[in-house]
């Protein structure tokens, strides 16, 4: 019974994280549309993955794509790297994805 409750809690935390990121991202994209000079640097980053399952990688890629301002472009055939385009590219973009969505997805599916 305990593992089921823990997993249910992990899914709730992931949903809350996604909702929060969605709100912040929508705000950032709207500001970028209204003030295009605000976009300092966009680009593509390679996010090393620690997820093992196909479902986990697919879930992560979809969460990234569903968040405005980011798009999953490609997962390498061995599922070790996810390539992401970010509208607002920062030094910590990769770390944010790993510490945020990837860590929470891992708690849910592995």
């Amino acid at each position: 019974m305990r593992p089921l409750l823990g997993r249910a809690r992990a899914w709730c935390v992931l949903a809350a994280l996604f909702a929060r990121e969605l709100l912040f991202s929508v705000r950032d994209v709207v500001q970028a549309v209204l003030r295009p000079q605000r976009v300092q640097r966009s680009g593509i980053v390679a996010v090393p993955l620690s997820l093992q399952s196909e479902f986990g990688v697919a879930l992560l890629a979809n969460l990234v794509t569903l968040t405005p301002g980011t798009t999953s472009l490609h997962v390498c055939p061995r599922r070790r790297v996810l390539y992401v385009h970010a509208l607002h590219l920062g030094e910590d973009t990769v770390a944010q994805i790993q510490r945020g969505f990837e860590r929470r997805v891992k708690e849910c599916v592995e």
Side-chain angles (χ1 to χ4, degrees), residues 10-85:
W11 279 100
C12 289
V13 170
L14 178 61
L17 173 65
F18 177 70
R20 189 189 86 165
E21 291 297 321
L22 183 64
L23 290 174
F24 288 141
S25 296
V26 166
R27 181 199 64 201
D28 289 345
V29 170
V30 167
Q31 287 177 351
V33 168
L34 296 176
R35 289 182 264 151
Q37 68 276 12
R38 185 176 181 275
V39 177
Q40 296 173 354
R41 192 173 122 202
S42 66
I44 298 171
V45 293
V47 180
L49 299 175
S50 63
L51 291 164
Q52 301 295 317
S53 70
E54 282 184 42
F55 176 72
V57 172
L59 179 59
L60 174 63
N62 281 297
L63 287 171
V64 167
T65 296
L66 289 170
T67 306
T70 55
T71 303
S72 298
L73 300 174
H74 179 71
V75 177
C76 77
R78 293 178 142 177
R79 295 188 314 263
R80 290 290 166 229
V81 178
L82 172 66
Y83 294 93
V84 174
H85 179 270

